[in-house]
Amino acid sequence: MSKIKVGVLGATGMVGQNYVRLLENHPWFEVSFVAASPSSAGKKYSEAVSGRWHMPVPVPDAVKGLVVEDASQVAKAVGKCAFVFSALEMDKQAVQNLECEYAAHDIAVVSNASAHRWTEDVPMLIPEINPDHLAAVETQRRNRGWQKGFIVVKPNCSLQSYLTPVYALMQAGYEVRRMILATMQAVSGAGYPGVASMDIVDNVIPFIGGEEEKSEKEPLKILGRIEGGKFVNDASLVISAHCNRVPVVDGHTACVSIEFGPKKPSKDEVLAVWRKFRAVPQELKLPLAPLQPIIYLDAANRPQPRKDRDNDKAMAVTIGRLRECPVFDLRFVGLSHNTVRGAAGGGILNAELLKAQGFLD
Ligand code: NAP
């Protein structure tokens, strides 16, 4: 089977570099097009990332020599790739326009940017939770007169540390009414060079612009449903989020307290749900899907970013410290790798789901 040719927009950035390394030797996809800002355009990829390549492996040979294009020149991508991963850090309106332009040129867009997360006909996907939201793709194409192009997005990186475990409990029949969460988010979440070292070393910053709003609202769309061709948010859940930047390189941690409806699970029942949980990516055996999406660790001092962020290809959510909560019902600590599961790996899993369901044919 010949591989599907893919492009990476924002290929020189923190998320873009993760796409380039994770796609090396991917069984279905190969990188054939890389694009970034005008300051990188015209350079070979290896030159464009020289001095700022942060991956633990060398720049893949197949991408080294590709010439970086200016992402705004959409016509350059036509004929070179079937779809693009978008990891652009630009003004929101500019990203919205550019992603629509790619889709209008018959190039599907799998985006990490927040620009289209609230666009009415764009699905915001976590493949273990809402693969059914892909039904919106046909509506989107109809609305906009696009033939092969479409846009799907993934949510903010912090959600991955807690939403799948909470969804697993909902799916098992437990109503989750309220959640209070405090995140401890890695510096790589701010891109490169990101937060200045003088600000973050020996410190915690109790504010990340826009992050609390995303953590509180994005789950409601993901847990919602499609009605009459439109997304209807889950109205049963209320979330209060405190988001903090901490001096960790990779791995977002979340401390979560949950209040259930009248049916309250015991700790053993929660653990049984988490250990048993499998979803569409596992059933379809998607290449980057974690075998076990939720890993529970019994040790009292886990999960920890350095020790647990890479579990199962850095695609699993690792949970620990499940215990009673004197204010709500139960509380736990969740961890996921922000630039893999929360960014490039999550985007690739979205694309694998799209391919498996025939959207990239
Ligand atoms: P980053 O390291 O700052 O990289 C930004 C990328 O955008 C670079 O490739 C840059 O190209 C390109 N770019 C900037 N201005 C541009 C322009 N005018 N035209 C075309 N390309 C331009 O950012 P990042 O952390 O990778 O984040 C990328 C996107 O993913 C953002 O939307 C972010 O919110 C989202 N995201 C990030 C994470 C994470 O954990 N880091 C997680 C989830 C989602 P040059 O190198 O040429 O400047």
Coordinates of all heavy atoms in Angstrom, one line a residue, residues 130-195:
N130 N -15.5 11.0 21.1 CA -16.6 11.4 20.2 C -16.3 11.2 18.7 O -16.4 12.1 17.9 CB -16.9 12.9 20.5 CG -15.7 13.8 20.2 OD1 -14.5 13.4 20.1 ND2 -15.9 15.1 20.0
P131 N -15.9 10.0 18.4 CA -15.6 9.7 16.9 C -16.9 9.9 16.1 O -16.8 10.3 14.9 CB -15.2 8.2 16.9 CG -15.7 7.6 18.2 CD -15.7 8.7 19.2
D132 N -18.1 9.8 16.7 CA -19.4 10.0 16.0 C -19.5 11.5 15.5 O -20.3 11.8 14.6 CB -20.5 9.7 16.9 CG -20.5 10.4 18.3 OD1 -19.5 10.4 18.9 OD2 -21.6 11.0 18.6
H133 N -18.8 12.4 16.1 CA -18.8 13.8 15.7 C -18.3 14.0 14.3 O -18.5 15.1 13.7 CB -18.1 14.7 16.7 CG -18.9 15.0 17.9 ND1 -18.6 16.0 18.8 CD2 -19.9 14.3 18.5 CE1 -19.4 16.0 19.8 NE2 -20.2 14.9 19.7
L134 N -17.6 13.0 13.7 CA -17.2 13.1 12.3 C -18.3 13.2 11.4 O -18.1 13.6 10.2 CB -16.3 11.9 12.0 CG -14.8 12.0 12.5 CD1 -14.1 10.8 12.1 CD2 -14.1 13.2 12.1
A135 N -19.5 12.9 11.8 CA -20.7 13.0 11.0 C -20.8 14.5 10.5 O -21.5 14.8 9.5 CB -22.0 12.6 11.7
A136 N -20.3 15.4 11.3 CA -20.4 16.9 10.9 C -19.6 17.2 9.6 O -19.8 18.3 9.0 CB -19.9 17.7 12.1
V137 N -18.7 16.3 9.2 CA -17.8 16.6 8.1 C -18.7 16.8 6.8 O -18.4 17.7 6.0 CB -16.7 15.5 7.9 CG1 -16.0 15.6 6.5 CG2 -15.7 15.7 9.0
E138 N -19.6 15.9 6.6 CA -20.5 16.0 5.4 C -21.3 17.3 5.4 O -21.4 18.0 4.4 CB -21.4 14.8 5.3 CG -20.8 13.6 4.8 CD -19.8 13.8 3.6 OE1 -20.2 14.5 2.6 OE2 -18.7 13.3 3.7
T139 N -21.8 17.7 6.6 CA -22.5 19.0 6.7 C -21.6 20.1 6.4 O -22.0 21.1 5.7 CB -23.0 19.2 8.2 OG1 -23.5 17.9 8.7 CG2 -24.0 20.3 8.3
Q140 N -20.4 20.1 6.9 CA -19.4 21.1 6.7 C -19.1 21.3 5.2 O -19.1 22.4 4.7 CB -18.1 20.7 7.5 CG -17.1 21.8 7.5 CD -15.8 21.2 8.1 OE1 -14.8 21.2 7.4 NE2 -15.8 20.8 9.3
R141 N -18.9 20.1 4.5 CA -18.6 20.2 3.1 C -19.8 20.8 2.3 O -19.6 21.6 1.4 CB -18.3 18.8 2.5 CG -16.9 18.3 2.9 CD -16.8 16.9 2.4 NE -15.4 16.4 2.4 CZ -15.1 15.2 2.4 NH1 -16.0 14.2 2.5 NH2 -13.8 14.8 2.3
R142 N -21.0 20.4 2.7 CA -22.2 20.9 2.1 C -22.4 22.4 2.3 O -22.6 23.2 1.4 CB -23.5 20.2 2.7 CG -24.3 19.5 1.6 CD -25.6 19.0 2.1 NE -25.9 19.0 3.5 CZ -25.7 17.9 4.3 NH1 -25.2 16.8 3.8 NH2 -26.1 17.9 5.6
N143 N -22.2 22.8 3.6 CA -22.3 24.3 3.9 C -21.4 25.1 3.1 O -21.7 26.3 2.8 CB -21.9 24.5 5.4 CG -23.0 23.9 6.4 OD1 -24.0 23.6 5.9 ND2 -22.6 23.8 7.7
R144 N -20.2 24.6 2.8 CA -19.1 25.5 2.3 C -18.8 25.2 0.8 O -18.0 25.8 0.2 CB -17.9 25.3 3.1 CG -18.0 25.9 4.5 CD -17.2 25.1 5.5 NE -17.5 25.5 6.9 CZ -16.9 26.5 7.5 NH1 -16.0 27.2 6.8 NH2 -17.2 26.8 8.7
G145 N -19.5 24.1 0.3 CA -19.3 23.8 -1.1 C -17.9 23.2 -1.4 O -17.3 23.2 -2.5
W146 N -17.3 22.5 -0.3 CA -16.0 21.9 -0.4 C -16.2 20.5 -0.9 O -17.2 19.8 -0.5 CB -15.3 21.9 0.9 CG -14.8 23.2 1.4 CD1 -14.7 24.3 0.7 CD2 -14.5 23.6 2.8 NE1 -14.3 25.4 1.5 CE2 -14.2 24.9 2.8 CE3 -14.5 22.9 4.0 CZ2 -13.8 25.6 3.9 CZ3 -14.1 23.6 5.1 CH2 -13.8 24.9 5.1
Q147 N -15.4 20.0 -1.8 CA -15.5 18.6 -2.4 C -14.8 17.6 -1.5 O -15.4 16.8 -0.8 CB -14.9 18.6 -3.8 CG -15.6 19.6 -4.8 CD -17.1 19.3 -4.9 OE1 -17.4 18.1 -5.2 NE2 -17.9 20.3 -4.8
K148 N -13.5 17.7 -1.4 CA -12.7 16.8 -0.7 C -12.2 17.4 0.7 O -11.9 16.6 1.6 CB -11.5 16.3 -1.5 CG -11.9 15.4 -2.7 CD -10.8 15.2 -3.6 CE -9.9 14.0 -3.1 NZ -8.9 13.6 -4.1
G149 N -12.0 18.7 0.7 CA -11.5 19.3 1.9 C -12.4 19.4 3.0 O -13.7 19.3 2.8
F150 N -11.9 19.5 4.2 CA -12.7 19.7 5.5 C -11.7 20.0 6.6 O -10.5 20.0 6.4 CB -13.5 18.4 5.8 CG -12.7 17.2 6.1 CD1 -12.1 16.9 7.3 CD2 -12.5 16.3 5.0 CE1 -11.3 15.8 7.5 CE2 -11.7 15.1 5.2 CZ -11.1 14.9 6.5
I151 N -12.3 20.4 7.7 CA -11.4 20.8 8.9 C -11.9 20.0 10.1 O -13.1 20.0 10.4 CB -11.5 22.3 9.2 CG1 -11.1 23.1 8.0 CG2 -10.7 22.6 10.4 CD1 -11.3 24.6 8.1
V152 N -11.0 19.3 10.8 CA -11.3 18.8 12.1 C -10.2 19.4 13.0 O -9.1 19.6 12.6 CB -11.3 17.3 12.2 CG1 -12.3 16.7 11.2 CG2 -10.0 16.7 11.9
V153 N -10.6 19.6 14.3 CA -9.6 20.1 15.3 C -9.5 19.2 16.5 O -10.4 18.4 16.7 CB -10.0 21.5 15.8 CG1 -10.1 22.5 14.6 CG2 -11.4 21.5 16.5
K154 N -8.4 19.4 17.2 CA -8.3 18.7 18.5 C -8.4 19.8 19.6 O -8.1 20.9 19.3 CB -7.1 17.8 18.6 CG -5.8 18.6 18.5 CD -4.6 17.7 18.8 CE -4.7 17.3 20.3 NZ -4.8 18.4 21.2
P155 N -8.8 19.4 20.8 CA -8.9 20.4 21.8 C -7.6 20.8 22.4 O -6.6 20.3 22.1 CB -9.8 19.6 22.9 CG -9.5 18.2 22.7 CD -9.2 18.0 21.2
N156 N -7.7 21.7 23.4 CA -6.6 22.2 24.2 C -5.8 21.0 24.8 O -6.5 20.0 25.2 CB -7.1 23.1 25.2 CG -6.0 23.7 26.0 OD1 -5.8 23.3 27.2 ND2 -5.4 24.7 25.5
C157 N -4.5 21.2 24.9 CA -3.7 20.0 25.4 C -4.0 19.6 26.9 O -3.8 18.5 27.2 CB -2.2 20.4 25.3 SG -1.8 22.0 25.8
S158 N -4.5 20.5 27.7 CA -4.7 20.2 29.1 C -5.8 19.2 29.3 O -5.8 18.4 30.2 CB -4.9 21.4 29.9 OG -6.2 21.9 29.6
L159 N -6.8 19.2 28.4 CA -8.0 18.3 28.6 C -7.7 16.8 28.6 O -8.3 16.0 29.3 CB -9.0 18.5 27.4 CG -10.0 19.6 27.5 CD1 -9.4 20.9 27.7 CD2 -10.9 19.6 26.3
Q160 N -6.6 16.5 27.9 CA -6.3 15.0 27.7 C -5.9 14.4 29.0 O -6.0 13.2 29.2 CB -5.1 14.9 26.7 CG -5.6 14.6 25.3 CD -6.0 15.8 24.5 OE1 -6.4 15.7 23.4 NE2 -5.8 17.0 25.0
S161 N -5.5 15.2 30.0 CA -5.1 14.7 31.3 C -6.2 14.2 32.2 O -6.0 13.5 33.2 CB -4.3 15.7 32.1 OG -3.3 16.3 31.3
Y162 N -7.5 14.6 31.9 CA -8.6 14.2 32.7 C -9.9 13.9 32.0 O -10.7 13.2 32.6 CB -8.9 15.4 33.7 CG -9.1 16.7 33.1 CD1 -10.4 17.1 32.6 CD2 -8.1 17.6 32.9 CE1 -10.6 18.3 32.0 CE2 -8.3 18.8 32.3 CZ -9.5 19.2 31.8 OH -9.7 20.4 31.2
L163 N -10.0 14.3 30.8 CA -11.4 14.1 30.2 C -11.7 12.7 29.8 O -12.8 12.2 30.0 CB -11.5 15.0 28.9 CG -13.0 15.2 28.5 CD1 -13.8 15.8 29.7 CD2 -13.1 16.1 27.3
T164 N -10.7 11.9 29.3 CA -11.0 10.5 29.0 C -11.4 9.7 30.2 O -12.5 9.0 30.2 CB -9.9 9.9 28.2 OG1 -9.6 10.7 27.0 CG2 -10.2 8.5 27.7
P165 N -10.7 9.8 31.3 CA -11.2 9.1 32.5 C -12.6 9.5 33.0 O -13.3 8.7 33.4 CB -10.1 9.4 33.6 CG -8.9 9.9 32.8 CD -9.4 10.5 31.5
V166 N -12.9 10.8 32.9 CA -14.2 11.2 33.3 C -15.3 10.7 32.3 O -16.3 10.2 32.7 CB -14.2 12.8 33.4 CG1 -15.6 13.3 33.6 CG2 -13.3 13.3 34.5
Y167 N -15.0 10.8 31.0 CA -15.9 10.2 30.0 C -16.2 8.7 30.3 O -17.3 8.3 30.2 CB -15.3 10.5 28.6 CG -16.1 9.7 27.6 CD1 -17.4 10.0 27.2 CD2 -15.5 8.5 27.0 CE1 -18.1 9.3 26.2 CE2 -16.2 7.8 26.1 CZ -17.5 8.1 25.7 OH -18.2 7.4 24.8
A168 N -15.1 8.0 30.6 CA -15.2 6.5 30.8 C -16.3 6.3 31.9 O -17.1 5.4 31.8 CB -13.9 5.9 31.2
L169 N -16.3 7.1 33.0 CA -17.2 7.0 34.1 C -18.6 7.3 33.6 O -19.6 6.7 34.0 CB -16.8 7.8 35.3 CG -15.5 7.4 35.9 CD1 -15.0 8.4 36.9 CD2 -15.5 6.0 36.5
M170 N -18.7 8.4 32.8 CA -20.1 8.8 32.3 C -20.6 7.6 31.4 O -21.8 7.3 31.5 CB -20.0 10.0 31.4 CG -19.6 11.3 32.2 SD -19.3 12.6 31.0 CE -19.8 14.0 32.0
Q171 N -19.8 7.1 30.6 CA -20.2 6.0 29.7 C -20.7 4.8 30.4 O -21.5 4.1 30.0 CB -19.0 5.7 28.7 CG -19.5 4.9 27.5 CD -18.3 4.2 26.9 OE1 -17.3 3.8 27.6 NE2 -18.3 4.1 25.6
A172 N -20.1 4.6 31.6 CA -20.4 3.5 32.5 C -21.7 3.7 33.2 O -22.1 2.9 34.1 CB -19.3 3.1 33.4
G173 N -22.3 4.9 33.0 CA -23.6 5.2 33.6 C -23.6 6.1 34.9 O -24.6 6.3 35.5
Y174 N -22.4 6.7 35.2 CA -22.4 7.6 36.3 C -22.5 9.0 35.8 O -21.7 9.5 35.0 CB -21.1 7.4 37.1 CG -20.9 6.0 37.6 CD1 -20.0 5.1 37.0 CD2 -21.7 5.6 38.7 CE1 -19.9 3.8 37.5 CE2 -21.6 4.2 39.1 CZ -20.7 3.4 38.5 OH -20.6 2.1 39.0
E175 N -23.4 9.8 36.3 CA -23.6 11.2 35.9 C -22.5 12.0 36.7 O -22.3 11.8 37.9 CB -25.0 11.7 36.4 CG -25.3 13.1 36.0 CD -26.5 13.6 36.7 OE1 -27.3 12.8 37.3 OE2 -26.7 14.8 36.7
V176 N -21.8 12.8 35.9 CA -20.8 13.7 36.6 C -21.3 15.1 36.5 O -21.6 15.6 35.4 CB -19.4 13.6 35.8 CG1 -18.4 14.6 36.4 CG2 -18.9 12.2 35.9
R177 N -21.6 15.7 37.7 CA -22.3 17.0 37.7 C -21.3 18.2 37.8 O -21.5 19.2 37.1 CB -23.2 17.0 39.0 CG -24.4 16.2 38.8 CD -25.4 16.5 39.9 NE -26.6 15.8 39.6 CZ -27.5 15.6 40.6 NH1 -27.3 16.0 41.8 NH2 -28.6 14.9 40.3
R178 N -20.3 18.0 38.7 CA -19.4 19.2 38.8 C -17.9 18.7 39.0 O -17.7 17.6 39.6 CB -19.7 20.0 40.0 CG -21.1 20.7 39.9 CD -21.3 21.7 40.9 NE -21.5 21.2 42.3 CZ -21.6 21.9 43.4 NH1 -21.5 23.2 43.3 NH2 -21.7 21.3 44.5
M179 N -17.0 19.5 38.5 CA -15.6 19.1 38.6 C -14.8 20.4 39.0 O -15.1 21.4 38.4 CB -15.0 18.6 37.3 CG -15.3 17.2 37.0 SD -15.0 16.8 35.2 CE -13.3 17.4 35.0
I180 N -13.9 20.2 39.9 CA -12.9 21.3 40.1 C -11.5 20.7 39.8 O -11.2 19.6 40.2 CB -12.9 21.8 41.6 CG1 -14.3 22.5 41.8 CG2 -11.8 22.8 41.8 CD1 -14.4 23.1 43.2
L181 N -10.8 21.4 38.9 CA -9.5 20.9 38.6 C -8.4 22.0 38.6 O -8.7 23.2 38.4 CB -9.5 20.3 37.2 CG -10.0 21.0 36.0 CD1 -8.9 21.6 35.2 CD2 -10.9 20.1 35.2
A182 N -7.2 21.6 39.0 CA -6.0 22.4 39.0 C -5.0 21.8 38.1 O -4.6 20.6 38.4 CB -5.5 22.6 40.4
T183 N -4.6 22.5 37.1 CA -3.6 21.9 36.2 C -2.2 22.4 36.5 O -2.0 23.6 37.0 CB -3.9 22.2 34.7 OG1 -3.7 23.6 34.5 CG2 -5.2 21.7 34.3
M184 N -1.2 21.6 36.3 CA 0.2 22.0 36.4 C 0.8 21.7 35.0 O 1.1 20.5 34.6 CB 0.9 21.2 37.5 CG 0.5 21.6 38.8 SD 0.8 20.4 40.1 CE -0.7 19.4 39.9
Q185 N 1.0 22.8 34.2 CA 1.2 22.6 32.7 C 2.7 22.9 32.4 O 3.3 23.9 32.8 CB 0.3 23.5 31.9 CG -1.2 23.1 32.2 CD -2.2 23.8 31.3 OE1 -3.3 23.9 31.8 NE2 -1.9 24.2 30.1
A186 N 3.2 22.0 31.5 CA 4.6 22.1 31.1 C 5.0 23.3 30.3 O 4.1 23.8 29.6 CB 5.0 20.8 30.4
V187 N 6.2 23.7 30.3 CA 6.7 24.8 29.5 C 6.6 24.6 28.0 O 6.3 25.5 27.2 CB 8.1 25.3 29.9 CG1 8.1 26.0 31.2 CG2 9.1 24.2 29.8
S188 N 6.7 23.3 27.5 CA 6.6 23.1 26.1 C 5.2 23.4 25.5 O 5.1 23.6 24.3 CB 7.0 21.7 25.8 OG 6.1 20.8 26.4
G189 N 4.3 23.5 26.4 CA 2.9 23.9 26.0 C 2.8 25.4 25.5 O 1.9 25.7 24.8
A190 N 3.9 26.1 25.8 CA 3.9 27.5 25.3 C 4.7 27.7 24.0 O 5.1 28.8 23.6 CB 4.4 28.4 26.4
G191 N 5.1 26.5 23.4 CA 5.9 26.6 22.2 C 7.3 27.0 22.5 O 7.7 27.0 23.7
Y192 N 8.1 27.3 21.5 CA 9.5 27.6 21.7 C 9.8 29.1 21.2 O 9.3 29.4 20.1 CB 10.4 26.7 20.9 CG 11.9 26.9 21.1 CD1 12.5 26.5 22.3 CD2 12.6 27.7 20.2 CE1 13.8 26.8 22.5 CE2 13.9 28.0 20.4 CZ 14.5 27.5 21.6 OH 15.9 27.8 21.8
P193 N 10.5 29.9 21.9 CA 11.1 29.7 23.2 C 10.2 29.7 24.4 O 10.6 29.4 25.5 CB 12.2 30.8 23.3 CG 11.6 31.9 22.5 CD 10.8 31.3 21.4
G194 N 9.0 30.1 24.2 CA 8.0 30.0 25.2 C 8.2 30.9 26.4 O 8.6 32.1 26.2
V195 N 8.0 30.4 27.6 CA 8.2 31.2 28.8 C 9.7 31.4 29.1 O 10.5 30.5 29.0 CB 7.6 30.4 30.1 CG1 7.4 31.4 31.2 CG2 6.3 29.8 29.7

